[in-house]
Amino acid sequence: MKDPQIKGIGMTSQRTRDRLVQRLESKGITDERVLDVMRHTPRHLFVDEALSSRAYEDTALPIGHCQTISQPYIVARMTALLVAEYDPQKVLEIGTGSGYQTALLAQLVPTVHTIERIPGLYKLAQERIHGLGMHNVHFKLSDGAWGWPKYAPYDAIMVTAAPENVPDPLLEQLAVGARMLIPLGSEGSIQKLSLIKRTSSGYKQESLESVSFVPLVLGEGVR
Ligand code: SAH
């Protein structure tokens, strides 16, 4: 990816990005590390060119295949919850989508594993992330409900598509002391963002705010 493209102009310029970050701060995001990576990550390169002028609005946008890139506020909130108070070394993300959330995690965590079920999105996200010179992300095309046992356990798991219940393999692949963020509930009904912590004796689940994610679809993807 060429530098001028990354830098952006007009509606994709640094000034526009700074305004988004100010907005996130006014909505209660205080984690400096998260604000900093959001200030410097070119979200406009993770959406179709026709939508790039809207990339720094605080809104979800379509990315094709009936999927969406999540709203910046919710991305910031989930990222902050994931890295708050501790320093995960190895993270598993389910639902690569555009790769934007992945790119943020890759700047905050030494190793990121990410799984997507739709081949077109999987391929494009890899190209974007490599184009930005990030090489600490491992991509897998699969049903993320199975997790990625080969590299388990993980210090943190972030799920960006909503199942009705937490898939058991993801619970099993969480290290003791680790946390998972996952939206729970069916599409169209109220979903709750849940924070699950694994302790030496079991799991603790906390229900946070209402959210709206695309469903976690089980089984392999379609082209
Ligand atoms: N973090 C992404 C969110 C994309 S939307 C972004 O901001 O761009 C959720 C993604 O989860 C979609 O790309 C969808 O294809 C993917 N997904 C849904 N069910 C899945 C599953 N079982 N395994 C892996 N990915 C899944």
Side-chain angles (χ1 to χ4, degrees):
M1 235 166 263
K2 296 202 190 71
D3 247 0
Q5 249 178 313
I6 296 174
K7 267 181 102 184
I9 50 162
M11 291 306 283
T12 60
S13 66
Q14 191 57 53
R15 193 133 56 102
T16 315
R17 298 181 210 180
D18 291 344
R19 270 202 297 271
L20 170 64
V21 170
Q22 279 162 16
R23 198 181 156 95
L24 298 175
E25 282 181 291
S26 74
K27 285 174 127 181
I29 305 293
T30 54
D31 191 305
E32 277 303 327
R33 287 179 301 169
V34 174
L35 292 170
D36 207 50
V37 291
M38 292 194 70
R39 192 175 287 122
H40 298 296
T41 305
R43 188 171 185 257
H44 66 281
L45 298 182
F46 290 85
V47 295
D48 194 86
E49 224 178 315
L51 288 172
S52 57
S53 66
R54 300 193 55 202
Y56 299 98
E57 290 175 15
D58 189 19
T59 173
L61 293 168
I63 54 171
H65 307 270
C66 303
Q67 307 300 322
T68 53
I69 180 172
S70 307
Q71 180 196 359
Y73 169 75
I74 199 72
V75 171
R77 169 93 172 121
M78 287 176 75
T79 309
L81 284 164
L82 207 78
V83 300
E85 301 144 28
Y86 86 138
D87 236 351
Q89 299 295 302
K90 190 171 49 164
V91 169
L92 175 66
E93 180 196 34
I94 311 296
T96 318
S98 66
Y100 176 66
Q101 172 77 75
T102 322
L104 298 179
L105 290 172
Q107 295 170 79
L108 293 165
V109 176
T111 310
V112 179
H113 296 269
T114 185
I115 307 178
E116 170 58 53
R117 65 180 282 280
I118 298 179
L121 295 176
Y122 158 83
K123 196 166 163 277
L124 204 53
Q126 274 187 65
E127 286 170 12
R128 288 166 172 156
I129 287 180
H130 291 154
L132 289 173
M134 296 175 188
H135 299 289
N136 56 338
V137 181
H138 304 269
F139 296 85
K140 185 178 168 84
L141 179 66
S142 175
D143 176 355
W146 296 104
W148 198 342
K150 190 173 168 193
Y151 298 103
Y154 299 94
D155 301 322
I157 298 180
M158 183 184 286
V159 186
T160 64
E164 296 204 14
N165 301 297
V166 187
D168 283 338
L170 298 184
L171 289 172
E172 285 156 18
Q173 290 170 34
L174 209 53
V176 172
R179 55 182 75 177
M180 168 164 29
L181 272 166
I182 182 165
L184 293 174
S186 50
E187 203 185 14
S189 73
I190 292 174
Q191 298 169 358
K192 285 280 176 194
L193 182 62
S194 298
L195 175 62
I196 298 169
K197 290 183 181 164
R198 184 169 193 175
T199 66
S200 51
S201 57
Y203 298 88
K204 273 194 201 148
Q205 184 168 339
E206 202 182 320
S207 199
L208 308 171
E209 62 257 47
S210 299
V211 287
S212 176
F213 278 87
V214 296
L216 187 82
V217 179
L218 304 181
E220 270 174 47
V222 286
R223 259 162 235 277

